């Protein structure tokens, strides 16, 4: 992955001249942005001596302290993260990158780091966009990134129960390839799919683009193995249980603050016989939302169900491979169907009946197939916007259906107020019987202090989200960006519960310090 951008460097893209011209004319984007500092000129601080002792556990080749490796494990992939790296700021680089070979080595590393007060940041694909990989290292003898890439196997597959045990460092494309050899799939395709890992999916409560059909990743998890400084947690021994509170829920979404997930037993599905994607047009976002809600609540439910607002449709962001091309007016909905041929045919016919009755206009397969072909391209487009001098960032939330219109308006108005001369786009990305997720993209000029401007805008938007009845995050996790707002969402007693769990499992506080858990008042 690019050290100062997203994904495969060979897939980096450039904006069409027409789009660059519009950015300059409409948003005031400067034509000559400051170029990124070359990797060879970025100098992280010298590594702390305390990390050298970890070679006794993982061997000399399992502790890497060279500058490039440390820089590549610095921060995640949010726009502020990338702008800091492009400016040559590697001050948050870990002192070492540690590569354990299995659960027992993870346990031993956590035990040693706890005793030596070395902070540990679990590292999978490095795709966090909420500050989830930036530990608060003050007061510690060092910081290490615990890279789980060597935990990359499927260790068990139960074709009868349709479950598979996958090690946490297994990247999603490799997991799909291994499962496909046995005729199965996870069906989990978030935008980070090409780089993210199984452990990262669980630690952040990831939600894939086909969540309408396959569910969120936390719904796929049947069991977990977790290494903590206090020992091993083995959670989940049956599909459902009444044996007290489900402790799996403490680990799902915990972002490495309570322990390091080393394997996940996930529910798997047979490979689909067929896949079909198509587009629909609705005159307004309100009418499209009503149609999407009808499918979510009363069925039939496509495997993929998305709705772009008027601005996102006009710009073409719903089909990243065709950005800048005329996309017509109204709002584009994308429906996808995966599964057995007869099931796909039946759901597609039922969906057509519902959407037609709701005022939808069928656009054929082309828009849906275009979306499917470019479904992982948007982060590359974000890098191209940065190269052109624009600032592009996303945020997401969710609410019950009754609050969705109010929430969408509140976020749009707040972003437009806090970031004048900006372009704000929105789409419904995930649907449920009782509500939906809203995913926003904002593009504006970088200006003189883009990170500071975004921090202030994000704070105002977070206030607006809470005030409108939304959640501060739907599938990106909490990290450091949403940490303080988590207190507004779960209340003081909820925060006390999280701190109590943290104190019990991680008494020295070395696990991803500063992430997830709001600090004590005062």
């Amino acid at each position: 992955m690019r050290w100062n951008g997203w994904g495969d460097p060979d897939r980096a893209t450039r904006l069409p001249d027409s789009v660059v011209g519009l950015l300059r004319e409409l948003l005031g984007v400067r034509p000559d942005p400051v170029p990124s500092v070359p990797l060879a000129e970025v100098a992280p601080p010298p590594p702390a001596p305390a990390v050298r002792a970890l070679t006794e556990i993982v061997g000399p080749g399992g502790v890497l302290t060279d500058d490039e490796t440390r820089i590549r494990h610095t921060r995640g992939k949010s726009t502020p993260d990338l702008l800091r790296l492009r400016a040559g700021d590697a001050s948050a680089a870990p002192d070492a990158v540690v590569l354990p070979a299995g659960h027992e080595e993870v346990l031993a590393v956590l035990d040693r780091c706890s005793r030596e007060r070395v902070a540990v940041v679990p590292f999978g694909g490095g795709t966090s966009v909420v500050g989830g990989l930036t530990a608060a290292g003050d007061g510690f003898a060092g910081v290490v990134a615990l890279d789980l890439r060597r935990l990359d196997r499927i260790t068990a597959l139960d074709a009868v129960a349709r479950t598979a045990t996958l090690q946490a460092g297994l990247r999603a494309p490799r997991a799909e390839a291994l499962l496909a050899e046995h005729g199965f799939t996870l069906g989990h395709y978030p935008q980070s799919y090409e780089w993210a890992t199984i452990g990262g999916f669980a630690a952040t409560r990831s939600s894939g683009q086909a969540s309408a059909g396959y569910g969120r990743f936390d719904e796929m998890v049947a069991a977990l193995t977790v290494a903590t400084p206090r020992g091993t947690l083995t959670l989940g021994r049956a599909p459902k249980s009444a044996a007290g509170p489900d402790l799996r829920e403490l680990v799902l979404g915990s972002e490495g603050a309570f322990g390091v997930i080393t394997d996940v037993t996930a529910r798997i599905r047979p490979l689909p016989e067929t896949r079909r994607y198509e587009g629909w047009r609705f005159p307004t976002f309100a009418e499209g939302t009503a149609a999407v809600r009808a499918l979510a609540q009363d069925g039939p439910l496509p495997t993929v169900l998305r709705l772009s607002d008027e601005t996102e449709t006009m710009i073409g962001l719903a089909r990243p491979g065709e950005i800048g091309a005329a996309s017509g007016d109204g709002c584009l909905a994308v429906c996808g169907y995966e599964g057995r041929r007869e099931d796909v045919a039946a759901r597609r016919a039922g969906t057509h009946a519902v959407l037609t009755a709701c005022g939808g206009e069928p656009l054929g397969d082309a828009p849906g197939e275009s979306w499917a072909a470019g479904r992982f391209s948007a982060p590359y487009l974000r890098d191209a916007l940065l190269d052109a001098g624009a600032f592009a960032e996303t945020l997401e939330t969710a609410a019950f259906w009754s609050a969705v219109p109010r929430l969408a308006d509140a976020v749009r108005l707040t972003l437009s107020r806090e970031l004048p001369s900006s372009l704000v786009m929105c789409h419904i990305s995930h649907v449920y019987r009782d509500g939906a997720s809203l995913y926003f993209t904002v593009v504006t000029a970088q200006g003189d202090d883009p990170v500071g401007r975004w921090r202030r805008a994000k704070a105002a938007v977070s206030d607006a989200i809470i005030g409108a009845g939304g959640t501060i995050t739907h599938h990106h996790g909490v990290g450091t960006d949403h940490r303080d707002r988590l207190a507004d969402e779960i209340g003081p007693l909820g925060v006390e519960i999280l701190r109590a769990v943290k104190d019990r499992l991680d008494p020295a506080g070395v696990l991803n310090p500063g992430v997830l858990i709001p600090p004590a008042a005062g």
Side-chain angles (χ1 to χ4, degrees):
M1 184 181 283
R2 289 178 63 187
W3 71 276
N4 63 350
W6 180 264
D8 183 350
D10 293 335
R11 290 177 58 190
T13 185
R14 292 189 60 186
L15 295 176
D17 290 341
S18 59
V19 174
V20 174
L22 284 173
L23 291 172
R24 294 173 183 174
E25 180 179 349
L26 299 179
L27 305 183
V29 171
R30 295 176 183 174
D32 297 309
V34 177
S36 176
V37 175
L39 175 60
E41 296 179 13
V42 180
V51 302
R52 297 173 186 158
L54 297 174
T55 59
E56 299 172 11
I57 300 170
V58 296
V63 178
L64 307 178
T65 58
D66 63 282
D67 285 357
E68 181 172 340
T69 300
R70 293 169 60 209
I71 291 167
R72 290 184 178 277
H73 288 74
T74 302
R75 302 186 178 276
K77 294 299 180 181
S78 71
T79 297
D81 286 339
L82 297 186
L83 288 173
R84 289 185 175 102
L85 286 172
R86 286 174 174 229
D89 178 5
S91 58
D95 295 289
V97 176
V98 180
L99 305 171
H103 177 80
E104 295 302 321
E105 286 193 0
V106 175
L107 276 177
V109 168
L110 296 185
D111 177 68
R112 176 66 64 88
C113 288
S114 185
R115 288 188 281 113
E116 301 293 331
R117 286 200 53 77
V118 173
V120 180
V121 180
F123 193 98
T127 62
S128 171
V129 292
V130 292
L133 300 175
T134 309
D138 292 346
F140 292 92
V143 177
V144 299
L146 192 70
D147 190 321
L148 301 178
R149 71 178 75 170
R150 295 170 71 185
L151 281 71
D152 63 351
R153 297 182 297 118
I154 292 180
T155 59
L157 191 147
D158 184 341
V160 176
R162 292 185 177 175
T163 64
T165 301
L166 309 104
Q167 291 186 311
L170 190 60
R171 277 189 23 199
R174 178 64 176 159
E176 284 293 338
L178 292 173
L179 289 171
E181 293 175 5
H182 300 275
F184 291 102
T185 180
L186 279 171
H188 190 70
Y189 305 107
Q191 202 166 73
S192 60
Y193 167 79
E194 296 170 305
W195 300 93
T197 62
I198 297 299
F201 289 157
T204 60
R205 291 187 182 272
S206 174
S207 192
Q209 295 169 338
S211 64
Y214 291 100
R216 293 164 55 95
F217 193 78
D218 49 10
E219 296 168 338
M220 300 178 186
V221 174
L224 294 156
T225 305
V226 187
T228 82
R230 295 288 307 280
T232 298
L233 274 173
T234 304
L235 305 172
R237 59 183 298 131
K240 296 292 182 182
S241 172
D246 190 347
L247 295 182
R248 287 172 296 191
E249 295 294 332
L250 278 176
V251 177
L252 293 168
S254 62
E255 302 182 43
F258 298 154
V260 178
I261 298 168
T262 56
D263 69 44
V264 174
T265 299
R267 299 177 176 95
I268 55 179
R269 308 279 189 95
L271 282 169
E273 292 178 356
T274 187
R275 294 180 172 93
R276 293 289 300 271
Y277 304 98
E278 62 189 17
W280 287 77
R281 178 192 171 275
F282 289 90
T284 67
F285 192 60
E287 291 170 285
T289 299
V292 167
R293 178 169 64 85
L295 291 175
Q297 292 183 328
D298 301 318
L301 193 58
T303 310
V304 173
L305 184 56
R306 302 164 65 85
L307 173 71
S308 294
D309 72 0
E310 293 88 345
T311 306
E312 186 170 283
T313 299
M314 177 185 66
I315 296 298
L317 191 60
R319 299 151 69 178
E322 302 174 27
I323 190 73
S327 298
D329 59 358
C331 297
L332 174 65
V334 171
C335 298
Y337 312 87
E338 300 182 9
R340 293 179 294 108
R341 286 182 175 84
E342 59 270 27
D343 174 62
V344 164
R347 282 191 291 138
R348 193 169 181 229
T351 298
H352 279 222
V354 172
L355 296 185
T356 300
C358 290
E361 174 191 349
L363 302 177
D365 291 352
E369 296 294 340
S370 173
W371 169 83
R375 65 198 298 183
F376 306 126
S377 300
Y380 292 97
L381 177 61
R382 186 267 307 268
D383 288 355
L385 287 164
L386 293 180
D387 292 339
F391 179 98
E393 189 55 299
T394 63
L395 60 90
E396 35 76 51
T397 178
F400 296 113
W401 284 115
S402 53
V404 163
R406 179 172 70 251
L407 178 61
D409 288 344
V411 174
R412 287 192 190 100
L413 289 171
T414 303
L415 285 171
S416 298
R417 182 185 70 240
E418 296 295 322
L419 298 171
S421 300
S422 63
L423 189 65
V424 180
M425 296 163 277
C426 174
H427 66 262
I428 290 177
S429 57
H430 306 276
V431 299
Y432 309 96
R433 288 183 184 275
D434 49 1
S437 169
L438 295 173
Y439 193 103
F440 295 86
T441 301
V442 59
V443 181
T444 188
Q446 287 186 23
D448 296 328
D449 181 21
V451 174
R453 285 182 72 214
W454 176 247
R455 186 184 299 115
R456 292 186 291 272
K458 185 73 177 289
V461 169
S462 297
D463 285 340
I465 287 172
I466 295 294
T471 177
I472 54 168
T473 176
H474 173 262
H475 58 267
H476 283 168
V478 175
T480 54
D481 289 5
H482 299 142
R483 179 194 62 200
D484 295 347
R485 299 295 177 166
L486 181 62
D488 297 327
E489 186 153 327
I490 66 176
L493 185 57
V495 174
E496 287 184 29
I497 292 170
L498 293 183
R499 289 199 194 111
V501 174
K502 173 80 168 174
D503 290 344
R504 177 62 64 177
L505 295 176
D506 178 25
V510 299
L511 286 170
N512 221 358
V515 168
L516 179 68
I517 302 173

